[in-house]
Amino acid sequence: MTETRSLGPEEWEFWDAWMRAQRLLTRELERDLQRACDISKPEFSVLVTLWHAGRELRVGELSASLDWDKSRVAHQLTRMEKRGFVQRTSSGADGRRAGIGLTAEGRRAAQRAISVHGSNIRRHALDALSPEQASVLRAWSEQTIHRLDPHRDETPTDEAS
């Protein structure tokens, strides 16, 4: 049986600082997307996922890529369809399998948002790190991902994180 160990004061301080930094970084990146591109983080996630796929995806594929439930994806797609970012197409013999693809407006929005978001990631996070710090954080992040989600496809689909 594994022994349960509590965190010491310095470990709690580290954890609190790490969690606060993540919240602040996420907040700033989301605000910047909204201000510069007039899109939300969920819209960005869908746009980038479809952009990287380079083809139409079925709702189930999109749901799996985003790690969202199908209901959330369906609601998000309805909102994005109204904005002209995505379109649904029917496929299959019965016409019920809906493919989801980017419209021309969705492709333009994705390209702009990827560029803006990349600049903001650089400004808020990467420019403050030395190459050594970035290397250590990347190694730790990849190790954590592998430990907590070993069966997940290792190809990132959401550049927003």
Side-chain angles (χ1 to χ4, degrees):
M1 184 168 181
T2 306
E3 179 184 333
T4 303
R5 295 180 352 158
S6 183
L7 298 180
E10 286 185 17
E11 291 168 317
W12 276 117
E13 288 173 17
F14 158 75
W15 187 251
D16 289 344
W18 172 249
M19 295 306 295
R20 183 156 190 229
Q22 280 186 293
R23 282 191 304 272
L24 291 171
L25 182 58
T26 298
R27 181 189 73 195
E28 289 307 306
L29 291 172
E30 289 177 8
R31 284 180 181 173
D32 289 346
L33 265 178
Q34 189 68 49
R35 276 191 296 255
C37 301
D38 192 31
I39 63 170
S40 67
K41 169 64 168 68
E43 287 172 322
F44 178 77
S45 296
V46 171
L47 289 170
V48 168
T49 300
L50 290 170
W51 176 262
H52 283 300
R55 62 178 177 84
E56 287 188 354
L57 296 177
R58 293 190 330 265
V59 172
E61 292 174 306
L62 187 57
S63 176
S65 291
L66 294 167
D67 199 22
W68 295 356
D69 63 58
K70 286 183 183 180
S71 173
R72 180 179 180 192
V73 170
H75 289 294
Q76 185 63 51
L77 291 173
T78 297
R79 289 188 291 274
M80 292 179 74
E81 249 182 325
K82 289 178 182 173
R83 292 195 65 187
F85 290 149
V86 298
Q87 63 185 6
R88 299 177 203 230
T89 58
S90 298
S91 63
D94 59 5
R96 293 189 332 166
R97 278 199 169 152
I100 309 299
L102 292 174
T103 62
E105 179 62 28
R107 284 188 293 280
R108 282 191 295 276
Q111 287 176 311
R112 173 157 167 66
I114 288 167
S115 176
V116 166
H117 195 57
S119 293
N120 290 330
I121 290 168
R122 178 167 305 290
R123 180 168 52 96
H124 291 306
L126 299 181
D127 284 348
L129 296 174
S130 70
E132 295 79 19
Q133 289 172 316
S135 179
V136 168
L137 279 172
R138 180 178 181 161
W140 177 79
S141 297
E142 289 172 352
Q143 182 183 57
T144 301
I145 291 165
H146 182 70
R147 186 176 65 253
L148 298 177
D149 199 3
H151 303 296
R152 181 86 173 167
D153 179 10
E154 293 185 10
T155 304
T157 58
D158 182 358
E159 294 179 4
S161 299

PDB file of all heavy atoms in Angstrom, residues 106-131:
ATOM      1  N   GLY A 106     -14.314  31.073 -41.433  1.00  0.00           N
ATOM      2  CA  GLY A 106     -13.700  30.301 -40.351  1.00  0.00           C
ATOM      3  C   GLY A 106     -12.205  30.126 -40.559  1.00  0.00           C
ATOM      4  O   GLY A 106     -11.419  30.209 -39.600  1.00  0.00           O
ATOM      5  N   ARG A 107     -11.793  29.896 -41.806  1.00  0.00           N
ATOM      6  CA  ARG A 107     -10.359  29.771 -42.099  1.00  0.00           C
ATOM      7  C   ARG A 107      -9.630  31.086 -41.838  1.00  0.00           C
ATOM      8  O   ARG A 107      -8.549  31.104 -41.260  1.00  0.00           O
ATOM      9  CB  ARG A 107     -10.140  29.292 -43.541  1.00  0.00           C
ATOM     10  CG  ARG A 107     -10.415  27.802 -43.717  1.00  0.00           C
ATOM     11  CD  ARG A 107     -10.000  27.295 -45.095  1.00  0.00           C
ATOM     12  NE  ARG A 107     -10.807  27.853 -46.158  1.00  0.00           N
ATOM     13  CZ  ARG A 107     -12.022  27.430 -46.502  1.00  0.00           C
ATOM     14  NH1 ARG A 107     -12.568  26.434 -45.847  1.00  0.00           N
ATOM     15  NH2 ARG A 107     -12.684  27.997 -47.497  1.00  0.00           N
ATOM     16  N   ARG A 108     -10.251  32.199 -42.251  1.00  0.00           N
ATOM     17  CA  ARG A 108      -9.638  33.517 -41.985  1.00  0.00           C
ATOM     18  C   ARG A 108      -9.538  33.770 -40.475  1.00  0.00           C
ATOM     19  O   ARG A 108      -8.511  34.238 -39.986  1.00  0.00           O
ATOM     20  CB  ARG A 108     -10.434  34.635 -42.655  1.00  0.00           C
ATOM     21  CG  ARG A 108     -10.188  34.760 -44.138  1.00  0.00           C
ATOM     22  CD  ARG A 108     -10.791  36.032 -44.711  1.00  0.00           C
ATOM     23  NE  ARG A 108     -12.253  36.069 -44.635  1.00  0.00           N
ATOM     24  CZ  ARG A 108     -13.066  35.504 -45.529  1.00  0.00           C
ATOM     25  NH1 ARG A 108     -12.567  34.865 -46.573  1.00  0.00           N
ATOM     26  NH2 ARG A 108     -14.368  35.595 -45.387  1.00  0.00           N
ATOM     27  N   ALA A 109     -10.600  33.458 -39.762  1.00  0.00           N
ATOM     28  CA  ALA A 109     -10.605  33.660 -38.300  1.00  0.00           C
ATOM     29  C   ALA A 109      -9.550  32.781 -37.636  1.00  0.00           C
ATOM     30  O   ALA A 109      -8.844  33.229 -36.719  1.00  0.00           O
ATOM     31  CB  ALA A 109     -11.989  33.357 -37.728  1.00  0.00           C
ATOM     32  N   ALA A 110      -9.433  31.528 -38.092  1.00  0.00           N
ATOM     33  CA  ALA A 110      -8.437  30.610 -37.511  1.00  0.00           C
ATOM     34  C   ALA A 110      -7.024  31.131 -37.757  1.00  0.00           C
ATOM     35  O   ALA A 110      -6.197  31.167 -36.828  1.00  0.00           O
ATOM     36  CB  ALA A 110      -8.596  29.206 -38.098  1.00  0.00           C
ATOM     37  N   GLN A 111      -6.729  31.534 -38.979  1.00  0.00           N
ATOM     38  CA  GLN A 111      -5.382  32.039 -39.301  1.00  0.00           C
ATOM     39  C   GLN A 111      -5.030  33.255 -38.455  1.00  0.00           C
ATOM     40  O   GLN A 111      -3.950  33.342 -37.898  1.00  0.00           O
ATOM     41  CB  GLN A 111      -5.286  32.400 -40.789  1.00  0.00           C
ATOM     42  CG  GLN A 111      -5.230  31.207 -41.687  1.00  0.00           C
ATOM     43  CD  GLN A 111      -5.244  31.614 -43.149  1.00  0.00           C
ATOM     44  OE1 GLN A 111      -6.067  32.420 -43.589  1.00  0.00           O
ATOM     45  NE2 GLN A 111      -4.328  31.048 -43.917  1.00  0.00           N
ATOM     46  N   ARG A 112      -5.946  34.196 -38.368  1.00  0.00           N
ATOM     47  CA  ARG A 112      -5.688  35.402 -37.573  1.00  0.00           C
ATOM     48  C   ARG A 112      -5.524  35.054 -36.097  1.00  0.00           C
ATOM     49  O   ARG A 112      -4.600  35.528 -35.439  1.00  0.00           O
ATOM     50  CB  ARG A 112      -6.825  36.409 -37.759  1.00  0.00           C
ATOM     51  CG  ARG A 112      -6.690  37.614 -36.827  1.00  0.00           C
ATOM     52  CD  ARG A 112      -7.408  38.830 -37.330  1.00  0.00           C
ATOM     53  NE  ARG A 112      -7.536  39.869 -36.346  1.00  0.00           N
ATOM     54  CZ  ARG A 112      -6.531  40.560 -35.829  1.00  0.00           C
ATOM     55  NH1 ARG A 112      -5.309  40.314 -36.200  1.00  0.00           N
ATOM     56  NH2 ARG A 112      -6.748  41.507 -34.928  1.00  0.00           N
ATOM     57  N   ALA A 113      -6.408  34.230 -35.572  1.00  0.00           N
ATOM     58  CA  ALA A 113      -6.364  33.893 -34.151  1.00  0.00           C
ATOM     59  C   ALA A 113      -5.092  33.117 -33.802  1.00  0.00           C
ATOM     60  O   ALA A 113      -4.500  33.353 -32.740  1.00  0.00           O
ATOM     61  CB  ALA A 113      -7.607  33.093 -33.764  1.00  0.00           C
ATOM     62  N   ILE A 114      -4.657  32.223 -34.665  1.00  0.00           N
ATOM     63  CA  ILE A 114      -3.429  31.468 -34.408  1.00  0.00           C
ATOM     64  C   ILE A 114      -2.241  32.413 -34.330  1.00  0.00           C
ATOM     65  O   ILE A 114      -1.390  32.311 -33.439  1.00  0.00           O
ATOM     66  CB  ILE A 114      -3.225  30.368 -35.475  1.00  0.00           C
ATOM     67  CG1 ILE A 114      -4.243  29.247 -35.269  1.00  0.00           C
ATOM     68  CG2 ILE A 114      -1.799  29.826 -35.438  1.00  0.00           C
ATOM     69  CD1 ILE A 114      -4.340  28.268 -36.440  1.00  0.00           C
ATOM     70  N   SER A 115      -2.193  33.369 -35.248  1.00  0.00           N
ATOM     71  CA  SER A 115      -1.101  34.341 -35.255  1.00  0.00           C
ATOM     72  C   SER A 115      -1.130  35.219 -34.006  1.00  0.00           C
ATOM     73  O   SER A 115      -0.113  35.393 -33.323  1.00  0.00           O
ATOM     74  CB  SER A 115      -1.202  35.198 -36.518  1.00  0.00           C
ATOM     75  OG  SER A 115      -0.215  36.197 -36.499  1.00  0.00           O
ATOM     76  N   VAL A 116      -2.294  35.759 -33.700  1.00  0.00           N
ATOM     77  CA  VAL A 116      -2.436  36.621 -32.518  1.00  0.00           C
ATOM     78  C   VAL A 116      -2.139  35.849 -31.245  1.00  0.00           C
ATOM     79  O   VAL A 116      -1.415  36.329 -30.363  1.00  0.00           O
ATOM     80  CB  VAL A 116      -3.862  37.227 -32.482  1.00  0.00           C
ATOM     81  CG1 VAL A 116      -4.178  37.836 -31.120  1.00  0.00           C
ATOM     82  CG2 VAL A 116      -4.027  38.264 -33.589  1.00  0.00           C
ATOM     83  N   HIS A 117      -2.688  34.655 -31.150  1.00  0.00           N
ATOM     84  CA  HIS A 117      -2.508  33.847 -29.940  1.00  0.00           C
ATOM     85  C   HIS A 117      -1.040  33.469 -29.753  1.00  0.00           C
ATOM     86  O   HIS A 117      -0.520  33.536 -28.632  1.00  0.00           O
ATOM     87  CB  HIS A 117      -3.390  32.609 -30.020  1.00  0.00           C
ATOM     88  CG  HIS A 117      -3.567  31.893 -28.725  1.00  0.00           C
ATOM     89  ND1 HIS A 117      -4.060  32.494 -27.593  1.00  0.00           N
ATOM     90  CD2 HIS A 117      -3.317  30.610 -28.391  1.00  0.00           C
ATOM     91  CE1 HIS A 117      -4.106  31.613 -26.614  1.00  0.00           C
ATOM     92  NE2 HIS A 117      -3.663  30.469 -27.071  1.00  0.00           N
ATOM     93  N   GLY A 118      -0.377  33.110 -30.834  1.00  0.00           N
ATOM     94  CA  GLY A 118       1.049  32.789 -30.745  1.00  0.00           C
ATOM     95  C   GLY A 118       1.857  33.971 -30.234  1.00  0.00           C
ATOM     96  O   GLY A 118       2.743  33.815 -29.379  1.00  0.00           O
ATOM     97  N   SER A 119       1.554  35.154 -30.735  1.00  0.00           N
ATOM     98  CA  SER A 119       2.249  36.364 -30.258  1.00  0.00           C
ATOM     99  C   SER A 119       1.984  36.605 -28.781  1.00  0.00           C
ATOM    100  O   SER A 119       2.886  36.995 -28.032  1.00  0.00           O
ATOM    101  CB  SER A 119       1.793  37.587 -31.058  1.00  0.00           C
ATOM    102  OG  SER A 119       2.206  37.487 -32.381  1.00  0.00           O
ATOM    103  N   ASN A 120       0.754  36.376 -28.359  1.00  0.00           N
ATOM    104  CA  ASN A 120       0.409  36.582 -26.944  1.00  0.00           C
ATOM    105  C   ASN A 120       1.057  35.543 -26.038  1.00  0.00           C
ATOM    106  O   ASN A 120       1.489  35.870 -24.928  1.00  0.00           O
ATOM    107  CB  ASN A 120      -1.101  36.598 -26.766  1.00  0.00           C
ATOM    108  CG  ASN A 120      -1.724  37.840 -27.353  1.00  0.00           C
ATOM    109  OD1 ASN A 120      -1.091  38.898 -27.399  1.00  0.00           O
ATOM    110  ND2 ASN A 120      -2.941  37.726 -27.831  1.00  0.00           N
ATOM    111  N   ILE A 121       1.150  34.298 -26.506  1.00  0.00           N
ATOM    112  CA  ILE A 121       1.850  33.269 -25.731  1.00  0.00           C
ATOM    113  C   ILE A 121       3.314  33.671 -25.564  1.00  0.00           C
ATOM    114  O   ILE A 121       3.875  33.586 -24.472  1.00  0.00           O
ATOM    115  CB  ILE A 121       1.731  31.890 -26.410  1.00  0.00           C
ATOM    116  CG1 ILE A 121       0.297  31.378 -26.311  1.00  0.00           C
ATOM    117  CG2 ILE A 121       2.716  30.891 -25.788  1.00  0.00           C
ATOM    118  CD1 ILE A 121       0.023  30.170 -27.183  1.00  0.00           C
ATOM    119  N   ARG A 122       3.902  34.131 -26.649  1.00  0.00           N
ATOM    120  CA  ARG A 122       5.294  34.578 -26.582  1.00  0.00           C
ATOM    121  C   ARG A 122       5.441  35.716 -25.575  1.00  0.00           C
ATOM    122  O   ARG A 122       6.303  35.708 -24.718  1.00  0.00           O
ATOM    123  CB  ARG A 122       5.788  35.016 -27.963  1.00  0.00           C
ATOM    124  CG  ARG A 122       7.226  35.537 -27.936  1.00  0.00           C
ATOM    125  CD  ARG A 122       7.822  35.685 -29.295  1.00  0.00           C
ATOM    126  NE  ARG A 122       7.782  34.474 -30.100  1.00  0.00           N
ATOM    127  CZ  ARG A 122       8.517  33.375 -29.874  1.00  0.00           C
ATOM    128  NH1 ARG A 122       9.342  33.337 -28.857  1.00  0.00           N
ATOM    129  NH2 ARG A 122       8.403  32.329 -30.659  1.00  0.00           N
ATOM    130  N   ARG A 123       4.578  36.729 -25.690  1.00  0.00           N
ATOM    131  CA  ARG A 123       4.668  37.916 -24.834  1.00  0.00           C
ATOM    132  C   ARG A 123       4.425  37.597 -23.360  1.00  0.00           C
ATOM    133  O   ARG A 123       5.147  38.059 -22.491  1.00  0.00           O
ATOM    134  CB  ARG A 123       3.657  38.957 -25.319  1.00  0.00           C
ATOM    135  CG  ARG A 123       3.645  40.242 -24.517  1.00  0.00           C
ATOM    136  CD  ARG A 123       2.841  41.322 -25.227  1.00  0.00           C
ATOM    137  NE  ARG A 123       1.511  40.905 -25.625  1.00  0.00           N
ATOM    138  CZ  ARG A 123       0.405  41.138 -24.912  1.00  0.00           C
ATOM    139  NH1 ARG A 123       0.474  41.785 -23.774  1.00  0.00           N
ATOM    140  NH2 ARG A 123      -0.761  40.732 -25.352  1.00  0.00           N
ATOM    141  N   HIS A 124       3.393  36.788 -23.079  1.00  0.00           N
ATOM    142  CA  HIS A 124       3.022  36.516 -21.687  1.00  0.00           C
ATOM    143  C   HIS A 124       3.836  35.408 -21.033  1.00  0.00           C
ATOM    144  O   HIS A 124       3.942  35.371 -19.804  1.00  0.00           O
ATOM    145  CB  HIS A 124       1.541  36.139 -21.580  1.00  0.00           C
ATOM    146  CG  HIS A 124       0.599  37.259 -21.854  1.00  0.00           C
ATOM    147  ND1 HIS A 124       0.640  38.471 -21.206  1.00  0.00           N
ATOM    148  CD2 HIS A 124      -0.427  37.353 -22.733  1.00  0.00           C
ATOM    149  CE1 HIS A 124      -0.315  39.255 -21.653  1.00  0.00           C
ATOM    150  NE2 HIS A 124      -0.980  38.594 -22.594  1.00  0.00           N
ATOM    151  N   ALA A 125       4.408  34.499 -21.820  1.00  0.00           N
ATOM    152  CA  ALA A 125       5.049  33.331 -21.211  1.00  0.00           C
ATOM    153  C   ALA A 125       6.462  33.072 -21.721  1.00  0.00           C
ATOM    154  O   ALA A 125       7.409  33.072 -20.943  1.00  0.00           O
ATOM    155  CB  ALA A 125       4.184  32.088 -21.427  1.00  0.00           C
ATOM    156  N   LEU A 126       6.603  32.842 -23.002  1.00  0.00           N
ATOM    157  CA  LEU A 126       7.874  32.341 -23.517  1.00  0.00           C
ATOM    158  C   LEU A 126       9.023  33.333 -23.421  1.00  0.00           C
ATOM    159  O   LEU A 126      10.158  32.941 -23.129  1.00  0.00           O
ATOM    160  CB  LEU A 126       7.706  31.869 -24.963  1.00  0.00           C
ATOM    161  CG  LEU A 126       6.706  30.726 -25.155  1.00  0.00           C
ATOM    162  CD1 LEU A 126       6.644  30.331 -26.617  1.00  0.00           C
ATOM    163  CD2 LEU A 126       7.030  29.549 -24.267  1.00  0.00           C
ATOM    164  N   ASP A 127       8.749  34.610 -23.666  1.00  0.00           N
ATOM    165  CA  ASP A 127       9.825  35.600 -23.600  1.00  0.00           C
ATOM    166  C   ASP A 127      10.427  35.720 -22.201  1.00  0.00           C
ATOM    167  O   ASP A 127      11.558  36.165 -22.051  1.00  0.00           O
ATOM    168  CB  ASP A 127       9.342  36.975 -24.073  1.00  0.00           C
ATOM    169  CG  ASP A 127       9.224  37.060 -25.589  1.00  0.00           C
ATOM    170  OD1 ASP A 127       9.732  36.154 -26.282  1.00  0.00           O
ATOM    171  OD2 ASP A 127       8.624  38.042 -26.079  1.00  0.00           O
ATOM    172  N   ALA A 128       9.665  35.328 -21.193  1.00  0.00           N
ATOM    173  CA  ALA A 128      10.146  35.425 -19.811  1.00  0.00           C
ATOM    174  C   ALA A 128      10.992  34.214 -19.401  1.00  0.00           C
ATOM    175  O   ALA A 128      11.578  34.212 -18.316  1.00  0.00           O
ATOM    176  CB  ALA A 128       8.962  35.568 -18.854  1.00  0.00           C
ATOM    177  N   LEU A 129      11.065  33.200 -20.253  1.00  0.00           N
ATOM    178  CA  LEU A 129      11.794  31.968 -19.927  1.00  0.00           C
ATOM    179  C   LEU A 129      13.135  31.911 -20.644  1.00  0.00           C
ATOM    180  O   LEU A 129      13.225  32.257 -21.819  1.00  0.00           O
ATOM    181  CB  LEU A 129      10.983  30.738 -20.350  1.00  0.00           C
ATOM    182  CG  LEU A 129       9.651  30.494 -19.668  1.00  0.00           C
ATOM    183  CD1 LEU A 129       8.947  29.317 -20.323  1.00  0.00           C
ATOM    184  CD2 LEU A 129       9.843  30.247 -18.180  1.00  0.00           C
ATOM    185  N   SER A 130      14.129  31.411 -19.938  1.00  0.00           N
ATOM    186  CA  SER A 130      15.398  31.099 -20.597  1.00  0.00           C
ATOM    187  C   SER A 130      15.189  29.792 -21.370  1.00  0.00           C
ATOM    188  O   SER A 130      14.248  29.043 -21.085  1.00  0.00           O
ATOM    189  CB  SER A 130      16.507  30.917 -19.559  1.00  0.00           C
ATOM    190  OG  SER A 130      16.280  29.721 -18.825  1.00  0.00           O
ATOM    191  N   PRO A 131      16.054  29.487 -22.325  1.00  0.00           N
ATOM    192  CA  PRO A 131      15.931  28.198 -23.028  1.00  0.00           C
ATOM    193  C   PRO A 131      15.973  27.011 -22.062  1.00  0.00           C
ATOM    194  O   PRO A 131      15.263  26.027 -22.252  1.00  0.00           O
ATOM    195  CB  PRO A 131      17.129  28.187 -23.977  1.00  0.00           C
ATOM    196  CG  PRO A 131      17.424  29.631 -24.219  1.00  0.00           C
ATOM    197  CD  PRO A 131      17.108  30.331 -22.915  1.00  0.00           C
TER     198      PRO A 131
END
